[in-house]
Amino acid sequence: MGRLDFALKEYLRVVELSTDNVRGFYGVKLTADRILDLVKNKPKKDQLHFSLDSIPQQSTLERLSLLATERLVGAYSGACAACKTVNEQWLKK
């Protein structure tokens, strides 16, 4: 695993600068969900490549993931049916 704390910070900066950036929201969703999985599984400190002190609280990560999901659903609301289906299936994972 890489520096997920840094990745989350950078993706948040991307969506701050461009609120309709789909790649930015995918990045927020992926990194927030991966950090949440790591926090819930409570790995040993030497297995992490970042400090748990450098990440947001669990409730904040959950809200970020939800916000990214909502923005991605909104971004694909006007897309073709196949694109919407693929997006919705990925977001349910």
Side-chain angles (χ1 to χ4, degrees):
M1 274 288 170
R3 294 274 319 271
L4 293 176
D5 57 337
F6 182 71
L8 180 61
K9 179 181 174 184
E10 292 300 312
Y11 282 122
L12 289 172
R13 181 74 175 137
V14 167
V15 298
E16 178 184 10
L17 294 172
S18 177
T19 58
D20 60 347
N21 188 306
V22 174
R23 286 186 184 189
F25 281 111
Y26 272 118
V28 170
K29 173 93 177 127
L30 284 172
T31 54
D33 288 348
R34 286 187 182 163
I35 292 170
L36 281 169
D37 287 342
L38 284 173
V39 170
K40 289 177 184 176
N41 293 334
K42 303 210 188 253
K44 296 177 183 176
K45 286 190 178 188
D46 60 344
Q47 293 175 327
L48 292 176
H49 296 284
F50 58 91
S51 168
L52 291 176
D53 297 333
S54 66
I55 60 170
Q57 295 178 350
Q58 185 173 345
S59 61
T60 303
L61 289 168
E62 290 168 351
R63 290 193 315 244
L64 285 171
S65 179
L66 181 62
L67 173 67
T69 301
E70 290 171 357
R71 293 290 172 98
L72 289 168
V73 168
Y76 284 98
S77 62
C80 67
C83 294
K84 282 199 289 192
T85 303
V86 168
N87 185 48
E88 289 170 4
Q89 289 174 351
W90 182 82
L91 290 172
K92 288 180 183 178
K93 289 182 184 179

